[in-house]
Amino acid sequence: MACCTRFSFVIAEAEGSWRRVKMCSAPDCRIVFYDGAKARNSRWCATAGCGNRMKTRTYRARRRADGA
């Protein structure tokens, strides 16, 4: 993962786009990544990994709160 972090900094430095360098929103993941999304709204380092895990946790918490 260190190579990906270095790559993110290289891109940000070259383009002057430091606002696109973000830290993953998952509490158990501290990966820094480059947000290449057009809308600049990426929250997780990988949607398939951290994103899916966080969405599943949120869904299950809602279900428990609703009593289902």
Side-chain angles (χ1 to χ4, degrees):
M1 276 307 155
C3 68
C4 297
T5 303
R6 278 186 248 139
F7 183 66
S8 297
F9 287 115
V10 169
I11 292 172
E13 182 69 33
E15 296 179 349
S17 57
W18 284 102
R19 291 182 186 179
R20 287 184 171 252
V21 177
K22 299 179 179 181
M23 186 176 283
C24 184
S25 292
D28 55 345
C29 178
R30 291 294 119 204
I31 293 176
V32 176
F33 67 98
Y34 181 81
D35 181 5
K38 186 176 181 179
R40 300 179 184 176
N41 60 352
S42 296
R43 294 180 57 195
W44 303 288
C45 60
T47 304
C50 290
N52 183 51
R53 192 170 60 246
M54 294 306 298
K55 289 176 185 181
T56 302
R57 285 179 187 169
T58 303
Y59 170 77
R60 288 181 180 165
R62 272 196 321 265
R63 296 276 299 187
R64 277 192 298 267
D66 291 343

